[in-house]
Amino acid sequence: MPMSSSPVLPDALGRGFRRIGAGTINAFARIGFATRFFVAVLLQTPAAFLRLRLTLREIYFAGVLSLVVIMVSGLFVGMVLGLQGFDTLNRYGAGDSLGIFVGLSLVRELGPVVAGLLFASRAGSAITAEIGLMKTTEQLSAMEMMAVDPLARIVAPRFWGGVISMPLLAALFSVMGVFGAYLVGVRLIGVDNGTFWGNMQAGIDFWPDVTNGIIKSIVFGVAVSLIAVFEGYDAKPTAEGVSSATTRTVVGGSLAILALDFVLTVFMFRGIGE
Amino acid sequence: MNRSTIDLWVGIFVTIGFGAIVFLALKVGNLTTLNAAPSYQLEARFDNIGGLKPRAPVKAAGVVVGRVSNVRLDPKTYEAIVSLNIDNGYEFSKDTIASILTSGLLGEVYIGLESGGDMQMLASGGRIGKTQSAVVLEKLISQFMFDKASAGPPGGGK
Amino acid sequence: MPATSDAVVMRGVTFGYDRSRALLKGIDMTIPRGKVVAIMGGSGCGKTTLLRLIGGQLRAQSGQVTVDGQEVSTLDRDGLFVLRRKIGMLFQFGALFTDLTVFENVAFPIREHTDLPEALIHDLVVMKLQAVGLRGAATLLPAELSGGMARRVALARAVALDPMLVLYDEPFAGLDPISLGVVGQLIRELNDALGSTSIVVTHDVYESLKIVDYLYFVSEGRIIAQGTPDEVRNSPDPFVRQFVDGASDGPVPFHYPAAPYADEFVARVA
């Protein structure tokens, strides 16, 4: 018996599929819009540097104001690395390798990644909230109506402020981490000072270890800053809209960092285990 | 927050940030030892290089004098051809012995050079004639067992 | 391009934020130069949208929007740039830049669009602030201003470049009676002093009738009434009457559409 409609298929299932379809189309539209936005922001780079004052101000708000959280976190992470690292290494009689263990962990991975995550939650959310609030109070519209491109004056300086701050913060994180491990390893546990630094120096090469760490932190800086300014610019102009936009910045930025970290690590350290 | 204060703090931030990068490069990494010191090339052939990798150190009397630049297999003789970059300023005699050694039991593999008594020195592109391959643990063990077996029961005569 | 006598002309303008539902359905409006014109209507009827269409922030789906003789939808980025230099806009609640002082806010458009030396900019800003009565507040931040003061600073910023057209989005919203009078007076005086044209979007009937030359009433996407203040005060049109008198029920109903009242209390038959 031919059936023109299928009474067997529940309406809820049909609705579910329609929602998935609409959601996917929405997601693609959003990605398309985001990409056009990214390109537009990057095109405003000369403007951001001609008005150096604006970008400097953003480096202050993104970088300087993150110093305390980054450096204190770095210190604690380094100290824990020192404790846990020595405990594990000592079982194989490799306690003298504590320096190189801590150094490599920080420079290659923990420095860029943890500093990036902290940056996303502290500076990223602040940037999103600021831009979102300016959108809500019509400041961005006012600027547009005065024939000033908000992308050039508000968005691009914040983007570059983030990109410039990230690698510096990651390096400071690693340095504080090494210092923390030194305090725990050499001063507290009693690893020999010379061995600690000597092994570390012998085992960590500027190229590829330190430079790859720097490249990673620059990539993370670009990703987090782009997400932060986009979510702020795209936020719904209500209190609730700004709040969910900041949440998306932190979550999206963190996930982007972790995913990019994996991809970059695969490319950079292909020789491991050879 | 007036402009000059912001400028001051940004300046401080950027300075210590770069300082941190420099610190990582010099104190944590080994940038100073990696400066492009002028070097010359030597070649050595081994039956078995064990775990030797490119960029492994080349040491004489325990002092690093160069790095392994390349490792490849000779398709005809099935020997390993190892290219060494030796820093200018170190010369080795023609009868130098190149051995593949391990620093400690679990340490990294490196090439040790022992200079001989020959008056003539190796020039750039020269080949080290005397080499000692890496000690492969399995062969050592099977050698030991073989010796033990041929020696007969302990205390008994042949 | 012949100089038209009208600052803004709208013919058959249709627009909807949602493609399927038109907010504005065929608007015809003429704003002559030098006049102060009010656009009135209930909340959400599209008054602010009209301003955005004039300023080029939105593009009409059909019809023409002509500002100073130029069709807005045909303008490219540079054209819009030139157009916006001629327009000053006062946003609802001011929209001052929160990280700049009062002085910096008013100086903003001057700095962005001219190469004038600092001394000259200082004089211009001071003159504008004097015109709105806030010269003494030049060093304050927007967060330190009252609502009325912020509105006046935004007004000074809107007229900083002596624009030919000034747009006001709900300039009277949320002000105390004194500030209401001040803002209304400033709108009229600045318009006449600068020789510009002003469009005031508002639903404050009392203040508007005091200062404007002409009014348009918008309801359900169309212009349903228009006239001079005297015509409006004496209009027989029921919508205008309800608006002007502030009656709670009339063409704009009091009750949101619902089922008959009695039905709410009828016991449901199982």
Side-chain angles (χ1 to χ4, degrees):
Chain A
M1 185 157 336
M3 288 193 283
S4 50
S5 62
S6 70
V8 181
L9 194 70
D11 193 38
L13 201 61
R15 266 207 310 273
F17 278 124
R18 269 196 294 276
R19 281 246 301 274
I20 293 177
T24 314
I25 294 177
N26 268 347
F28 276 114
R30 201 150 189 269
I31 292 177
F33 176 64
T35 314
R36 273 182 26 233
F37 177 82
F38 293 169
V39 171
V41 171
L42 290 176
L43 285 175
Q44 296 297 340
T45 305
F49 285 103
L50 281 176
R51 308 284 295 265
L52 200 60
R53 173 114 285 142
L54 294 174
T55 311
L56 282 180
R57 190 176 170 275
E58 296 312 321
I59 296 179
Y60 176 82
F61 281 110
V64 176
L65 294 184
S66 305
L67 269 181
V68 174
V69 70
I70 293 283
M71 290 176 80
V72 171
S73 307
L75 185 69
F76 280 115
V77 167
M79 294 202 289
V80 168
L81 266 184
L83 283 171
Q84 295 278 35
F86 184 80
D87 180 64
T88 309
L89 289 170
N90 209 26
R91 295 185 200 187
Y92 302 96
D96 283 344
S97 305
L98 182 65
I100 180 174
F101 166 75
V102 165
L104 277 178
S105 312
L106 284 167
V107 162
R108 280 184 182 180
E109 286 298 324
L110 292 179
V113 172
V114 177
L117 293 174
L118 290 170
F119 184 77
S121 21
R122 200 250 111 214
S125 63
I127 291 174
T128 301
E130 200 184 12
I131 297 181
L133 202 61
M134 290 183 101
K135 187 177 182 189
T136 310
T137 51
E138 295 193 289
Q139 288 179 52
L140 296 183
S141 271
M143 218 174 263
E144 243 181 26
M145 279 304 293
M146 285 190 263
V148 175
D149 189 356
L151 286 185
R153 195 139 194 312
I154 301 284
V155 174
R158 279 167 179 76
F159 169 72
W160 283 105
V163 170
I164 292 176
S165 302
M166 248 308 304
L168 301 176
L169 290 172
L172 284 165
F173 184 92
S174 298
V175 166
M176 289 307 288
V178 166
F179 179 65
Y182 162 81
L183 285 179
V184 161
V186 176
R187 292 305 180 89
L188 202 66
I189 294 180
V191 174
D192 178 57
N193 188 28
T195 317
F196 181 84
W197 293 104
N199 276 348
M200 187 195 304
Q201 267 208 325
I204 300 181
D205 299 317
F206 182 69
W207 192 295
D209 296 314
V210 177
T211 46
N212 279 344
I214 294 176
I215 293 174
K216 273 191 188 180
S217 56
I218 294 178
V219 170
F220 296 160
V222 169
V224 170
S225 302
L226 271 178
I227 292 175
V229 296
F230 173 71
E231 291 294 349
Y233 195 79
D234 193 52
K236 282 185 110 166
T238 61
E240 201 194 289
V242 173
S243 145
S244 59
T246 51
T247 308
R248 280 200 299 275
T249 292
V250 175
V251 171
S254 305
L255 290 177
I257 287 177
L258 295 170
L260 285 169
D261 182 48
F262 174 70
V263 171
L264 288 172
T265 307
V266 165
F267 276 110
M268 288 176 179
F269 296 104
R270 249 183 305 204
I272 292 181
E274 235 161 53
Chain B
M1 183 61 53
N2 60 357
R3 287 177 167 178
S4 49
T5 321
I6 288 184
D7 288 347
L8 178 70
W9 277 107
V10 170
I12 293 179
F13 171 62
V14 171
T15 310
I16 60 174
F18 271 108
I21 293 180
V22 168
F23 178 83
L24 289 178
L26 296 177
K27 275 296 187 177
V28 174
N30 48 17
L31 185 59
T32 46
T33 62
L34 257 189
N35 42 15
S39 57
Y40 65 100
Q41 271 223 326
L42 291 178
E43 196 186 86
R45 289 166 174 261
F46 298 88
D47 290 328
N48 193 321
I49 59 167
L52 189 73
K53 293 197 271 281
R55 301 189 65 238
V58 178
K59 303 186 191 180
V63 177
V64 175
V65 299
R67 295 263 163 192
V68 172
S69 64
N70 193 25
V71 170
R72 64 188 197 288
L73 183 71
D74 186 331
K76 294 197 201 71
T77 64
Y78 292 98
E79 278 178 317
I81 308 174
V82 178
S83 309
L84 314 170
N85 275 349
I86 311 291
D87 292 341
N88 281 359
Y90 298 114
E91 283 188 312
F92 294 93
S93 63
K94 283 214 157 155
D95 59 344
T96 298
I97 306 175
S99 323
I100 299 193
L101 304 165
T102 315
S103 51
L105 210 54
L106 300 171
E108 58 169 350
V109 182
Y110 66 98
I111 290 191
L113 296 177
E114 270 174 72
S115 198
D118 197 327
M119 298 298 279
Q120 282 201 306
M121 297 293 162
L122 288 166
S124 180
R127 193 162 99 147
I128 300 178
K130 304 187 187 175
T131 63
Q132 190 171 67
S133 295
V135 174
V136 180
L137 213 53
E138 292 82 2
K139 290 198 176 157
L140 200 63
I141 291 177
S142 64
Q143 181 87 16
F144 175 75
M145 311 242 306
F146 182 73
D147 285 346
K148 263 292 186 186
S150 63
K158 263 239 182 80
Chain C
M1 193 151 298
T4 53
S5 62
D6 298 326
V8 176
V9 178
M10 293 178 109
R11 290 269 168 271
V13 171
T14 309
F15 179 83
Y17 287 107
D18 183 359
R19 294 261 145 182
S20 56
R21 208 175 59 94
L23 185 62
L24 299 169
K25 305 165 193 163
I27 300 281
D28 288 321
M29 209 183 272
T30 307
I31 318 275
R33 283 184 204 277
K35 302 285 182 198
V36 178
V37 176
I39 300 179
M40 314 204 70
S43 310
C45 70
K47 314 193 293 289
T48 307
T49 312
L50 280 169
L51 289 184
R52 291 185 195 272
L53 285 166
I54 294 174
Q57 281 186 312
L58 297 171
R59 188 162 287 193
Q61 271 136 26
S62 72
Q64 299 154 311
V65 179
T66 311
V67 178
D68 199 22
Q70 282 185 301
E71 166 62 56
V72 173
S73 57
T74 61
L75 292 174
D76 60 352
R77 248 182 63 112
D78 293 330
L80 276 177
F81 186 87
V82 170
L83 174 69
R84 286 174 180 167
R85 279 201 54 178
K86 297 192 266 187
I87 301 180
M89 184 154 176
L90 175 60
F91 284 81
Q92 204 163 353
F93 305 118
L96 294 176
F97 301 131
T98 44
D99 47 329
L100 301 178
T101 62
V102 162
F103 183 93
E104 298 291 326
N105 262 284
V106 179
F108 184 83
I110 306 178
R111 288 221 175 92
E112 291 291 326
H113 291 302
T114 68
D115 267 327
L116 297 175
E118 269 308 305
L120 202 49
I121 294 181
H122 171 268
D123 292 349
L124 282 170
V125 171
V126 162
M127 284 198 291
K128 300 296 176 189
L129 285 176
Q130 174 78 354
V132 300
L134 287 173
R135 187 167 50 93
T139 54
L140 295 179
L141 285 171
E144 299 166 298
L145 301 172
S146 73
M149 290 165 71
R151 206 70 62 86
R152 285 192 275 161
V153 173
L155 221 177
R157 184 179 70 177
V159 299
L161 289 174
D162 291 342
M164 146 234 138
L165 174 66
V166 191
L167 307 173
Y168 297 90
D169 192 355
E170 307 271 7
F172 305 114
L175 292 182
D176 61 271
I178 299 176
S179 301
L180 280 175
V182 170
V183 171
Q185 201 181 317
L186 282 171
I187 292 177
R188 184 79 238 184
E189 285 175 357
L190 281 171
N191 187 73
D192 297 337
L194 294 171
S196 23
T197 311
S198 301
I199 303 179
V200 182
V201 159
T202 178
H203 44 237
D204 190 316
V205 181
Y206 181 64
E207 291 302 326
S208 313
L209 286 176
K210 282 201 292 188
I211 58 170
V212 305
D213 298 314
Y214 204 75
L215 297 102
Y216 285 95
F217 285 86
V218 177
S219 174
E220 296 188 358
R222 284 177 227 283
I223 299 194
I224 53 152
Q226 47 179 291
T228 66
D230 283 331
E231 286 170 5
V232 164
R233 276 195 207 95
N234 303 317
S235 166
D237 184 287
F239 179 80
V240 177
R241 275 264 69 83
Q242 182 187 11
F243 217 81
V244 172
D245 297 335
S248 54
D249 207 11
V252 179
F254 176 70
H255 286 287
Y256 194 78
Y261 194 32
D263 289 356
E264 298 278 352
F265 301 104
V266 170
R268 257 170 272 279
V269 179

